[in-house]
Structure formats: structure tokens, C-alpha cells
Amino acid sequence: TCLKPFSQYGNLRAHERTRTGDTPYVYHTCLKPFSQYGNLRAHERTHTGDKPYVCKTCLKHFARSDVLKKHERTHSGDRRALS
């Protein structure tokens, strides 16, 4: 049993699903299951082509915010962008 503390009940429930393998969110087109709603939404963009995250420096569009953040480091010279 994991003893990781959570300040919000919903975060605890999402964490528990990663342990139990419970996947209550299923994308309707390809039927791929997800344990967290946010991951379902990110996957949905692979089907729709939606890229709502935009680099303010070069205006390149991204489907995921974490990929945008990594890209933005290429403009700042941050060496972590290479990893």
C-alpha cells in the first residue's frame, strides 16, 4: 500500500486508479482506455489535430502543454530542452 498524502480527495482517487489499473475514461472513436480524464482529453487531440498551446516566441502550435514547455526552453538556451 502506498502512503502518499493528498490534499484533495479527487487526486487521491486518480492516484489509486494508477495502482488498481481502473480505466473509467474511454475514447469513443478508438476505445482506448484511460485512468485520468486529462489523459483522455490529450489523446483526443491526436484524433482531432487540435493544437491549443502556442509558443509566444515562434508561434508554433502544440497539442500538449508539456511539449510546449520543453520547446520554449529551446528559445531560452536552457540545456534541459535537449533531454
Side-chain angles (χ1 to χ4, degrees):
T1 301
C2 174
L3 299 177
K4 185 173 181 178
F6 293 90
S7 60
Q8 295 182 356
Y9 181 72
N11 293 340
L12 171 63
R13 294 289 301 139
H15 177 73
E16 287 174 340
R17 284 193 298 270
T18 66
R19 300 281 183 185
T20 64
D22 183 23
T23 53
Y25 307 105
V26 178
Y27 189 66
H28 60 88
T29 301
C30 66
L31 304 180
K32 185 170 182 174
F34 297 91
S35 63
Q36 296 187 23
Y37 181 73
N39 293 340
L40 167 66
R41 297 289 294 155
H43 175 75
E44 181 179 37
R45 289 191 290 271
T46 67
H47 291 278
T48 65
D50 186 26
K51 296 182 177 183
Y53 305 102
V54 182
C55 175
K56 294 176 182 169
T57 303
C58 68
L59 303 180
K60 186 172 179 178
H61 289 72
F62 297 88
R64 294 177 21 201
S65 63
D66 62 315
V67 176
L68 167 62
K69 288 175 185 171
K70 184 174 180 177
H71 165 81
E72 286 175 330
R73 291 194 300 255
T74 65
H75 295 298
S76 70
D78 189 333
R79 295 186 57 83
R80 291 179 300 161
L82 303 175
S83 58

